[in-house]
Amino acid sequence: MSVAVPVDVTELVVRALRRLLSGRPESVAAGVKVSTETGRGVNGGPPSLPWLLVAEDGHTWAWPAVQRVVIRLTCWHRTPHSSKALAGLALGLLCHPALSQPWTAEPVTGPISATDPYTDKPLATATVAVLARTPPRYA
């Protein structure tokens, strides 16, 4: 018996951000790694900078194919300004209607600067609500 399961919207967002940030003219985007996880060391920080973590903070799924996912973007970078700038760039790219993504998105919180208490690296966080109309896959 096959059961409908939702498409992984977080993975769709990661793939889109990798593509959209690759080759961007902004210097803060140079060499950025986009991932759903950070390092596995003692402090759990990113293995390189800049690093953009994409995580899911909330998820609803309306049968058969409408998902609302709250995505948290956390960006570690070399300076507080560059971490905030890259988080803002990623947020803007996700929310831009002309980029023909399989979703609509709106910011929930703008980039907020902080210092990672574990690694002492500058970071910024932002959240975005993604409404995706994706057909379910069957497992």
Side-chain angles (χ1 to χ4, degrees), residues 2-127:
S2 43
V3 176
V5 295
V7 171
D8 187 348
V9 175
T10 302
E11 186 61 32
L12 292 177
V13 169
V14 167
R15 289 182 188 159
L17 282 172
R18 285 177 181 156
R19 180 179 45 81
L20 293 168
L21 289 170
S22 175
R24 289 291 307 184
E26 296 87 354
S27 61
V28 295
V32 65
K33 302 287 189 250
V34 181
S35 182
T36 57
E37 60 182 62
T38 57
R40 300 184 189 277
V42 175
N43 295 325
S48 64
L49 295 178
W51 194 271
L52 182 62
L53 174 68
V54 178
E56 186 176 303
D57 278 349
H59 192 147
T60 59
W61 186 35
W63 183 261
V66 178
Q67 297 181 65
R68 183 180 184 278
V69 182
V70 177
I71 299 286
R72 178 176 19 94
L73 304 170
T74 304
C75 177
W76 286 264
H77 216 300
R78 291 171 183 87
T79 69
H81 175 76
S82 58
S83 62
K84 191 171 183 180
L86 183 54
L89 176 60
L91 183 64
L93 290 170
L94 290 176
C95 296
H96 198 291
L99 294 175
S100 65
Q101 301 298 339
W103 63 68
T104 58
E106 68 177 44
V108 176
T109 61
I112 300 168
S113 294
T115 300
D116 186 327
Y118 301 104
T119 65
D120 288 327
K121 302 290 184 202
L123 64 78
T125 62
T127 52

